[in-house]
Amino acid sequence: MNTHVDPFDVLVVGSGLAGLTTALELANGGRRVAIVTKRGADTGATAWAQGGIAAVLGANDDFAQHEADTHHAGGGLCDAQATRLTVERAPQAIRWLQAQGVAFSQEGQALHLTREGGHSQRRIVHAADFTGRAVQEALLQRAREHNAIEWFEHHMLVDLITSQRLGAPGPNRCLGAYVLNEATDTVQVFAARATVLATGGAGKVYLYTTNPDTATGDGVAAAWRAGCRVANMEFVQFHPTCLFHPHAKSFLISEAVRGEGGVLRLPESAGGTRFMPAHDARADLAPRDVVARAIDFEMKRHGVDCVYLDITHQSAAFLQSHFPTIRGRCAELGIDIAQQPIPVVPAAHYSCGGVMVNHHAITDVPGLYAVGETAYTGLHGANRLASNSLLECVVYAQLAATHIAQLEPLASASLPAWDDSRVTDADEQVVIAHNWEELRRFMWDYVGIVRTNKRLERAAHRIALLHQEIQEFYASFHVTRDLLELRNLVQVADLIVQSAQQRHESRGLHFSLDYPQAAAQPQPSVLRPD
């Protein structure tokens, strides 16, 4: 079987907002684009986003305030240029999305703006409480209809193909990727003059997460193996309010619920009182890291399984209008949010670190770009401000597309086929499942909301053992999606722990009992491949 796919101008790995924006901008400019996505096109994290997109559109708002809020949430580690660039391009990003057919919520003739934790103004553009789904559906329809975009669903990135990997002379360059076609169970060769990683985050490295099952750090791990630096991997954002219910399946309760007056309370068994005012002057509108740590503290102090988010002061009509998805899902589980508080716990939500890129989303390896949650642009610093993530996806995808469109075509190169002639079918798939469970559990226990040197050492030891076992498995057996995802998660877990061990302070999303104070001159934690 010929495993080579015809060359493309651009290979986009991932079909969320970042990947779709990149693909559409390039296809509209006449480039031939392949979109590779490891499951269905609509199964990534974008469709799960409830809140919205931050942009300065209100009469009392300005860029300086949005920048200040971003820097404050980011704990002094946000890159000033990246922040300014993103904030100033936000209104244009909203207009671009509207032009693609995204129907945002209106208030009269204007966009309705809501407020979320960490924001000093109402600046969150949204589509009720299903913004991500509205954005995903609109862009996906455009991409499906575009004759310059070719789709490869149920295709998973195995590894990037670089000149260094091939032993070619000269500087390292990305030439394309090896991709597992699940339908044929073969690894195909995709050649492209530019490859864009838009694979999302790595929330599945933790036992409890708001992320979909696809969030296994594929892009970060592949870029690291290809020779790219990563930064700030220790800053994993735990969303403070994930629905606590045995059948909820990672359902998050949007930040906007607190933005519309929702308050956090202890369970009735522990007094039922509000507790956020005792932790921060901003109370329930404090940034996510503050709220997540406060919830973690109160749960441990009182020995309770969850806390409660109370929005019962709002009418049923208001809740149906503003939070139909949340109200409907809670109702399915027997919770009437107009009458009852919502049980919530923190859960791993967003990776603020990632593959280091410049202001055109270019990585350390020419020909390779990273956008969205896969990338580290410097915007989020030590903690992402709510609703800056979808914004970053659009802004940096457009910047990447602009740069890629200016590239000269590469001379065609003969890329070698994937060699699996010396491997066999695995006879112990259960090993993968067990290793996955072990990894996610000890990452939750040792590298969670509150960390210590001893916990990090324990995690590093376990990761080293898992890494060796998985590498032996990878070298001996045919690759499968489960094996590839586990391989990537172990690599990302190692990067998270290494970064956490580098940071001898507490800042933003990284809180250490051994280093409770913040350093005077913080720096990003940068890791370089050997």
Side-chain angles (χ1 to χ4, degrees):
M1 175 184 292
N2 181 13
T3 60
H4 284 70
V5 177
D6 289 340
F8 287 86
D9 293 320
V10 185
L11 171 63
V12 176
V13 186
S15 59
L17 176 56
L20 290 174
T21 301
T22 309
L24 283 168
E25 290 282 76
L26 286 163
N28 288 336
R31 303 303 187 273
R32 184 166 174 260
V33 181
I35 298 180
V36 164
T37 186
K38 66 178 177 180
R39 297 195 185 175
D42 59 351
T43 55
T46 295
W48 289 40
Q50 295 174 351
I53 305 173
V56 172
L57 298 169
N60 298 321
D61 202 3
D62 56 44
F63 292 150
Q65 292 183 75
H66 190 177
E67 284 186 57
D69 291 343
T70 300
H71 283 292
H72 194 274
L77 275 182
C78 298
D79 179 85
Q81 186 178 351
T83 303
R84 186 173 304 111
L85 180 69
T86 306
V87 165
E88 291 180 351
R89 286 174 171 263
Q92 181 274 332
I94 297 298
R95 291 191 293 271
W96 184 83
L97 288 169
Q98 288 179 296
Q100 308 312 306
V102 180
F104 292 113
S105 295
Q106 301 278 132
E107 189 171 43
Q109 297 301 308
L111 290 169
H112 179 266
L113 303 177
T114 191
R115 185 179 175 189
E116 296 181 342
H119 288 272
S120 58
Q121 298 287 343
R122 283 181 172 267
R123 66 168 69 97
I124 312 303
V125 180
H126 63 104
D129 65 344
F130 49 83
T131 306
R133 190 168 80 240
V135 168
Q136 179 81 12
E137 289 175 355
L139 268 62
L140 190 54
Q141 180 177 343
R142 288 293 182 103
R144 291 273 196 211
E145 296 169 350
H146 209 298
N147 58 15
I149 296 176
E150 189 168 343
W151 283 88
F152 296 87
E153 296 178 83
H154 301 284
H155 282 63
M156 182 174 176
L157 173 66
V158 177
D159 256 328
L160 297 166
I161 304 173
T162 63
S163 53
Q164 186 178 74
R165 178 189 183 118
L166 301 181
N172 195 21
R173 179 178 181 84
C174 185
L175 304 172
Y178 291 115
V179 175
L180 174 65
N181 179 340
E182 289 197 72
T184 62
D185 195 30
T186 58
V187 175
Q188 297 176 312
V189 179
F190 282 73
R193 67 171 176 173
T195 299
V196 182
L197 297 173
T199 58
K204 295 300 286 187
V205 77
Y206 285 99
L207 187 61
Y208 302 112
T209 178
T210 65
N211 290 183
D213 290 342
T214 53
T216 53
D218 305 333
V220 174
W224 173 262
R225 292 191 293 264
C228 295
R229 291 170 300 163
V230 301
N232 281 14
M233 292 297 294
E234 74 272 31
F235 294 122
V236 179
Q237 188 174 77
F238 288 81
H239 196 289
T241 53
C242 184
L243 181 61
F244 180 72
H245 192 282
H247 304 301
K249 183 61 177 174
S250 306
F251 187 82
L252 70 85
I253 305 299
S254 170
E255 194 100 1
V257 173
R258 287 184 285 123
E260 296 296 345
V263 297
L264 289 159
R265 300 184 183 278
L266 292 170
E268 288 298 327
S269 61
T273 55
R274 287 186 68 185
F275 57 84
M276 278 310 302
H279 290 270
D280 192 278
R282 293 160 292 185
D284 300 274
L285 287 177
R288 290 175 176 175
D289 61 319
V290 176
V291 179
R293 278 199 303 274
I295 294 173
D296 183 67
F297 175 84
E298 296 292 345
M299 287 172 57
K300 289 174 179 174
R301 182 163 76 102
H302 293 280
V304 295
D305 293 329
C306 68
V307 297
Y308 288 83
L309 180 56
D310 188 353
I311 190 74
T312 57
H313 69 285
Q314 296 284 13
S315 68
F318 177 93
L319 296 173
Q320 183 59 36
S321 172
H322 286 72
F323 307 114
T325 306
I326 294 172
R327 190 178 186 215
R329 182 60 176 138
C330 287
E332 291 173 2
L333 300 171
I335 304 166
D336 180 358
I337 68 172
Q339 302 291 328
Q340 302 165 267
I342 307 166
V344 294
V345 292
H349 182 59
Y350 189 86
S351 301
C352 289
V355 183
M356 291 189 72
V357 298
N358 68 8
H359 299 306
H360 291 286
I362 305 170
T363 72
D364 292 330
V365 178
L368 180 64
Y369 299 73
V371 290
E373 194 173 351
T374 303
Y376 166 78
T377 65
L379 172 65
H380 304 310
N383 180 26
R384 175 176 68 86
L385 181 65
S387 289
N388 269 355
S389 55
L390 294 182
L391 170 61
E392 182 191 43
C393 286
V394 178
V395 169
Y396 274 85
Q398 291 178 331
L399 291 167
T402 299
H403 189 270
I404 293 169
Q406 299 169 355
L407 296 178
E408 294 294 330
L410 290 174
S412 60
S414 177
L415 302 182
W418 179 258
D419 182 11
D420 62 356
S421 59
R422 291 170 299 214
V423 300
T424 61
D425 290 322
D427 57 359
E428 293 186 73
Q429 290 287 349
V430 70
V431 173
I432 296 175
H434 287 176
N435 285 350
W436 182 302
E437 175 70 19
E438 180 185 356
L439 173 70
R440 297 180 68 205
R441 186 167 293 281
F442 73 65
M443 284 295 290
W444 182 263
D445 290 340
Y446 299 152
V447 200
I449 295 173
V450 176
R451 299 163 180 172
T452 67
N453 289 341
K454 181 57 71 176
R455 291 174 188 171
L456 293 175
E457 288 171 8
R458 288 172 177 161
H461 177 68
R462 303 282 282 280
I463 288 170
L465 294 175
L466 276 180
H467 185 77
Q468 180 180 353
E469 184 171 330
I470 291 163
Q471 283 303 108
E472 291 173 357
F473 213 80
Y474 179 78
S476 302
F477 300 113
H478 286 296
V479 295
T480 64
R481 188 182 68 197
D482 288 345
L483 175 57
L484 293 172
E485 288 182 336
L486 178 61
R487 178 181 181 234
N488 292 335
L489 281 173
V490 170
Q491 181 63 76
V492 170
D494 182 47
L495 296 174
I496 292 171
V497 171
Q498 284 190 57
S499 297
Q501 289 177 318
Q502 273 193 15
R503 188 162 297 282
H504 294 174
E505 62 162 348
S506 287
R507 182 175 301 276
L509 301 167
H510 174 74
F511 186 81
S512 171
L513 293 177
D514 294 302
Y515 307 105
Q517 302 303 314
Q521 296 181 317
Q523 297 292 328
S525 56
V526 179
L527 300 178
R528 294 171 172 80
D530 294 334

